[in-house]
Amino acid sequence: MSRVADSTIKGFLYQFNLTLKQILKSDNDTDIQVEGIIEDIDVLEKDKVTAIQCKYHEAQEAYSLSLIYKPVLQMLKTYVQLYKDNPESDIMFILYAYFPALQEGRIKLTVPDLNQILNTENIDYICNYVTYIKEVQDATILERISKRTKTPEDKALIKQYFNDNELAIKCDLEDFINNHFTFEIGKPFIGLENDVKELLVEAGFSTDDVKDLFYPNAIQKIAEVSIIRNDEERFINRQRIIEELKETKATAITRWTKELEDYKDFLKAKRKQLSYNLNTNYRKRCFVIQASELDDFEDEIVMFIKDFTTKYCCKVKLHIPPIFCIQDYDYDKTNQLISRLFAKGIRVESGYKGCTFFKEAFIHEPEKKINEGWMEYTAKICYGMPEIYEVLNQNRPDDFFVVANYMPDEISPEDVNLELINIKTFSDLKYLLKLSEVI
């Protein structure tokens, strides 16, 4: 993973932690919108709105005012628009940012600071934000500002106009800075994470369970809510998240939780949770795997299937062949995989006879010769297609292992043990499934 990508993911996790902190320290009837309409976190208390923008600058060695030009301008733009439409609005903007060089606490900006920000030379900041905060009288410039897509010439002329003219500001900067804006320097990542864990303990969860179960699941819950498109469905409150966490029994292993400091502990906890069912002989198991989500998939998949079937489909009398559904494969890739498995001595059933899929062929149980320790096949191989989803819904496995970003909508999770395992490496997957003893 590149440094930029890693920093971006940690920035999101920092925001998720701050969102959780806001939720857990609020009243049960306070609604909080994740990825709010106004800012990253919108807190709604009766007629008051607190809009929080979160910034995480772990790699920034020094602080300067220019680093917060954009978020301050964004908030000023929103402030002007809100008060134009509703002068009685009661809103507080909070810029919550972490800078390694600054101590936790509040920094008081001044009106001269705001004027310096408004006089930025950044052409995009001028065109996207300052144009909405300062009064413009020139009809030609107003026409260029109103364009959805501005040409380089448009932007240059707009910037020149703002540089050449002293323009009135549409709002009272003194009122904004004193009554509607706070700049708060946040804690380091671990400090904020610890705050969330302490709040979960205060909510009634045990300290040990918070670390390995409820905290990672809380992070995953916020991540799930954050990507919902419908604005109204991104609201959550303290009571709801606590009730939902109380219902969780398994540690979330996802693209988000694997970036947390305690990921190895999460793996150990998840392995322990999976252990009981894995140790049970007669269980119907199905893997739904997204090939594009696993590193080195083509190099690793054959040995993974071999290792799993060797361990969990070796007792002819007691074991049932597992199903491996490669979600983003097709007919040709599936056949290539079957050929590679056969070359490793693994016989499988795909349900295809010639080029046609037969449901009855796929679901039939393998012939067994108990005395000889022989089984007709030890795995079923398929790919994501409607006929397979129909078969899985009609002949539900006991365990669904979803090694993917999501569970296909076509598959019903009803009356199954659903294990969502969104990880990147086969080594982690093998550890979870007790095929390896080393993380």
Side-chain angles (χ1 to χ4, degrees):
M1 180 181 296
S2 70
R3 182 176 178 180
V4 172
D6 183 63
S7 175
T8 300
I9 289 173
K10 203 158 187 181
F12 277 116
L13 284 170
Y14 193 79
Q15 180 180 318
F16 294 163
N17 273 290
L18 182 60
T19 305
L20 276 170
K21 184 175 180 178
Q22 293 297 319
I23 294 169
L24 293 169
K25 73 177 187 179
S26 67
D27 297 329
N28 284 339
D29 58 353
T30 298
D31 288 324
I32 294 178
Q33 190 176 39
V34 183
E35 291 294 337
I37 295 175
I38 303 174
E39 291 293 349
D40 299 326
I41 309 163
D42 291 349
V43 182
L44 281 64
E45 300 174 274
K46 296 181 180 180
D47 297 327
K48 180 181 179 181
V49 177
T50 302
I52 306 168
Q53 186 171 159
C54 182
K55 296 295 180 184
Y56 185 70
H57 297 278
E58 183 181 53
Q60 195 71 48
E61 295 181 1
Y63 165 77
S64 66
L65 187 64
S66 62
L67 292 173
I68 63 168
Y69 275 19
K70 183 176 180 179
V72 171
L73 288 171
Q74 288 173 328
M75 290 176 172
L76 268 172
K77 175 184 174 182
T78 303
Y79 175 75
V80 168
Q81 292 174 328
L82 283 175
Y83 277 83
K84 177 182 177 183
D85 297 334
N86 183 8
E88 302 303 318
S89 296
D90 186 2
I91 185 168
M92 172 62 74
F93 293 93
I94 297 177
L95 174 57
Y96 188 96
Y98 172 70
F99 292 92
L102 298 181
Q103 291 186 343
E104 179 187 357
R106 292 187 176 180
I107 292 182
K108 179 68 176 177
L109 295 189
T110 63
V111 171
D113 289 332
L114 293 186
N115 281 316
Q116 179 181 330
I117 293 170
L118 286 167
N119 290 326
T120 176
E121 289 294 316
N122 185 298
I123 194 167
D124 290 320
Y125 292 176
I126 293 171
C127 294
N128 294 331
Y129 309 117
V130 180
T131 54
Y132 296 90
I133 301 167
K134 290 186 175 182
E135 295 281 1
V136 178
Q137 303 296 334
D138 189 292
T140 302
I141 296 299
L142 283 170
E143 181 183 355
R144 293 180 185 275
I145 290 172
S146 67
K147 289 184 179 181
R148 178 170 296 183
T149 303
K150 298 176 180 64
T151 65
E153 180 187 5
D154 291 330
K155 292 182 178 181
L157 288 173
I158 292 169
K159 179 181 178 183
Q160 190 63 48
Y161 174 81
F162 276 83
N163 286 345
D164 292 345
N165 295 275
E166 288 289 337
L167 304 173
I169 297 169
K170 295 180 181 180
C171 65
D172 184 339
L173 294 183
E174 192 81 42
D175 181 54
F176 174 79
I177 209 71
N178 290 327
N179 302 313
H180 299 281
F181 175 81
T182 298
F183 179 24
E184 187 170 345
I185 303 303
K187 292 186 174 184
F189 190 96
I190 295 299
L192 185 57
E193 181 180 298
N194 288 336
D195 282 354
V196 172
K197 291 177 180 177
E198 288 174 8
L199 287 167
L200 285 169
V201 172
E202 290 175 14
F205 299 102
S206 72
T207 302
D208 290 340
D209 287 340
V210 162
K211 179 182 177 182
D212 295 335
L213 178 61
F214 296 115
Y215 172 69
N217 282 284
I219 288 291
Q220 180 58 26
K221 181 63 183 177
I222 297 301
E224 290 171 356
V225 174
S226 73
I227 61 174
I228 297 174
R229 292 187 178 182
N230 188 326
D231 293 337
E232 295 302 316
E233 294 179 12
R234 293 199 307 278
F235 281 102
I236 196 166
N237 59 34
R238 184 178 185 275
Q239 181 177 355
R240 176 185 156 192
I241 199 165
I242 288 174
E243 288 176 352
E244 291 183 0
L245 286 175
K246 285 180 178 178
E247 296 176 0
T248 60
K249 305 298 181 185
T251 302
I253 301 294
T254 71
R255 60 176 294 196
W256 296 112
T257 60
K258 68 182 172 57
E259 298 300 330
L260 298 171
E261 296 291 333
D262 295 327
Y263 178 59
K264 288 186 178 181
D265 292 329
F266 301 157
L267 285 179
K268 291 175 183 177
K270 185 70 173 181
R271 174 184 166 107
K272 186 175 180 180
Q273 293 158 12
L274 294 176
S275 181
Y276 178 80
N277 286 338
L278 288 172
N279 289 338
T280 302
N281 285 321
Y282 197 83
R283 288 190 70 90
K284 293 189 288 184
R285 300 179 175 113
C286 177
F287 286 83
V288 177
I289 302 174
Q290 195 173 349
S292 59
E293 283 298 300
L294 277 162
D295 294 341
D296 301 320
F297 180 85
E298 296 300 334
D299 294 334
E300 300 278 355
I301 184 60
V302 170
M303 287 307 301
F304 170 72
I305 293 174
K306 179 178 174 60
D307 290 345
F308 190 86
T309 54
T310 298
K311 186 175 180 69
Y312 296 108
C313 193
C314 60
K315 299 176 182 178
V316 175
K317 188 176 182 179
L318 300 175
H319 286 164
I320 303 171
I323 299 171
F324 296 91
C325 178
I326 315 301
Q327 196 174 308
D328 43 356
Y329 258 26
D330 56 22
Y331 175 78
D332 290 335
K333 283 189 173 182
T334 304
N335 277 339
Q336 292 170 14
L337 176 58
I338 291 171
S339 297
R340 292 172 62 194
L341 289 167
F342 184 81
K344 294 292 292 184
I346 305 168
R347 294 178 180 271
V348 303
E349 176 60 69
S350 69
Y352 275 91
K353 302 303 173 186
C355 59
T356 304
F357 177 79
F358 291 90
K359 170 185 171 181
E360 58 272 23
F362 188 78
I363 64 175
H364 94 281
E365 292 299 316
E367 181 184 347
K368 297 180 179 181
K369 297 179 182 178
I370 305 298
N371 294 335
E372 298 178 19
W374 178 86
M375 191 183 302
E376 181 184 1
Y377 61 86
T378 56
K380 296 180 181 181
I381 302 294
C382 55
Y383 62 96
M385 63 179 186
E387 294 88 344
I388 286 296
Y389 296 145
E390 182 181 347
V391 168
L392 295 177
N393 287 332
Q394 292 175 354
N395 302 269
R396 298 183 189 280
D398 297 309
D399 301 312
F400 254 124
F401 297 97
V402 181
V403 189
N405 272 336
Y406 60 92
M407 176 74 156
D409 293 335
E410 297 89 343
I411 299 178
S412 171
E414 186 178 8
D415 300 327
V416 299
N417 174 45
L418 180 63
E419 299 290 352
L420 299 173
I421 307 172
N422 180 11
I423 57 180
K424 293 293 291 182
T425 67
F426 276 100
S427 59
D428 285 353
L429 183 57
K430 288 181 178 181
Y431 176 79
L432 289 174
L433 299 173
K434 302 174 70 175
L435 302 178
S436 169
E437 296 300 320
V438 180
I439 298 179

